[in-house]
Amino acid sequence: MADITLQVAGRSYTVSAREEDTPHLRALEARIAEHADAALRAAGGQAGERTLLYLALILADALDEAEKAPAPAPPPAPAPAISDELLARIADRLEAVASALEESAATS
């Protein structure tokens, strides 16, 4: 475990984390920083617990909205592969249908 210092709403917090978790924690820190100014303003400029409360509310609201959003549609399934043998049989049948139509048209 390694110690990592995170900046949240103008304060430093040291947490223990596995080395491989550090990039994820830094990404979360950056996400929190996007909302820190709004939380500080909502708290009346008083850094501290009240700012952290507003920050938690802002992030919880964003999470709530994300959870309510409809899930994206899954990509369409790839078309099944058609063997050369099957394609040849289909071509033969189409030729037989075309011949039958030509004969029917010639006798009419």
Side-chain angles (χ1 to χ4, degrees):
M1 295 289 250
D3 286 344
I4 179 173
T5 301
L6 302 173
Q7 297 292 322
V8 177
R11 291 189 164 191
S12 297
Y13 297 92
T14 301
V15 296
S16 293
R18 294 180 301 189
E19 196 68 35
E20 60 269 20
D21 292 335
T22 298
H24 181 64
L25 288 172
R26 290 289 179 211
L28 293 175
E29 176 186 39
R31 249 184 154 168
I32 291 169
E34 293 173 12
H35 303 285
D37 287 341
L40 188 58
R41 284 191 307 275
Q46 300 172 343
E49 289 180 19
R50 193 165 184 86
T51 300
L52 292 177
L53 170 64
Y54 281 107
L55 189 53
L57 290 171
I58 291 168
L59 294 172
D61 184 54
L63 176 61
D64 186 56
E65 288 297 317
E67 287 175 344
K68 288 180 183 175
I82 299 176
S83 70
D84 290 340
E85 180 183 329
L86 179 58
L87 287 174
R89 287 193 346 229
I90 292 171
D92 289 342
R93 287 189 184 206
L94 287 173
E95 286 179 17
V97 169
S99 294
L101 288 173
E102 287 174 0
E103 288 177 19
S104 174
T107 59
S108 300

